[in-house]
Amino acid sequence: MDANDVAQFLKTNPQFFDQNPQLLESIYVPHPHGGRAIPLSERQIVSLRDKVRLLEVKLGELLRFGEDNDAIGEKVHRLSLALLGAKDFAATAHALYFHLREDFAVPHVALRVWGKSLLDGTLEGSPVEAALRDQAETMGAPQCGPAAGNPFLPWFREAAEHIRSVALVPLGQTRVIGVLALGSEDAQRFFTEMGTLYLRRIGELTAGALAART
């Protein structure tokens, strides 16, 4: 009988050590964290402790993620209240810029809205090239990535040369009425694979507030 036969026997007879518990104390195996030999029973205890430590680490990560999500959710809630309390477009834009800067630490924000005559003469109502409007129509969801080569980068005006990553949030459900662009000097702030759930929610809140006040 070789090692494979022994392994196969133990697999097909999981009750073997239950029927022969004394063997657990007489079998010695290498310690996983050192060279000395230890009883198999002790080795099992060490393995269980290692698994517990891994579970504790994973639990800690889940708790941190939960706390982070709670904090972001609270910020979105404050933004919602501010947008609801805005009396007109100017107040809506101010609330949006303020909370994105102060709560979400987004240093550069550009908002463009089209098809709203009441915004003529404002920066937010500036003409947008047809190609950019067409691109916004096909986004379907917020898009994040490097700023280099991004056609929306000029919206940030004099700050454009310092921006390294961008998030683009299309505004509107059945019809896109504009784009909310967020910029950062940190190349990793808005990266391609990042989650966009909260960006989507901010976009929905913004679009709803704009539709009611323009």
Side-chain angles (χ1 to χ4, degrees), residues 52-66:
V52 168
R53 278 193 288 269
L54 288 174
L55 290 174
E56 288 175 343
V57 170
K58 292 182 178 180
L59 177 59
E61 291 177 349
L62 289 175
L63 290 174
R64 285 193 295 274
F65 290 151

Side-chain angles (χ1 to χ4, degrees), residues 123-179:
L123 178 61
E124 292 80 9
S126 300
V128 176
E129 298 175 19
L132 295 184
R133 293 172 61 167
D134 290 343
Q135 184 172 338
E137 290 282 354
T138 60
M139 282 182 191
Q143 295 183 353
C144 303
N150 192 300
F152 293 85
L153 193 59
W155 286 8
F156 296 102
R157 299 186 293 172
E158 64 274 5
E161 61 179 306
H162 306 294
I163 294 176
R164 298 293 176 266
S165 63
V166 172
L168 301 172
V169 185
L171 304 177
Q173 297 291 327
T174 58
R175 180 176 63 89
V176 174
I177 63 170
V179 170

Side-chain angles (χ1 to χ4, degrees), residues 23-96:
L23 292 178
L24 291 174
E25 299 179 1
S26 61
I27 298 176
Y28 282 74
V29 295
H31 193 287
H33 306 304
R36 67 186 181 89
I38 58 174
L40 181 59
S41 56
E42 184 177 341
R43 175 65 175 81
Q44 291 176 312
I45 293 174
V46 172
S47 295
L48 289 174
R49 287 173 179 167
D50 289 342
K51 290 179 180 179
V52 168
R53 278 193 288 269
L54 288 174
L55 290 174
E56 288 175 343
V57 170
K58 292 182 178 180
L59 177 59
E61 291 177 349
L62 289 175
L63 290 174
R64 285 193 295 274
F65 290 151
E67 291 171 354
D68 290 345
N69 285 335
D70 286 344
I72 296 174
E74 178 62 26
K75 294 174 183 178
V76 172
H77 178 64
R78 287 199 293 267
L79 172 61
S80 302
L81 294 178
L83 293 176
L84 284 172
K87 302 302 183 183
D88 52 26
F89 172 77
T92 299
H94 175 75
L96 179 64

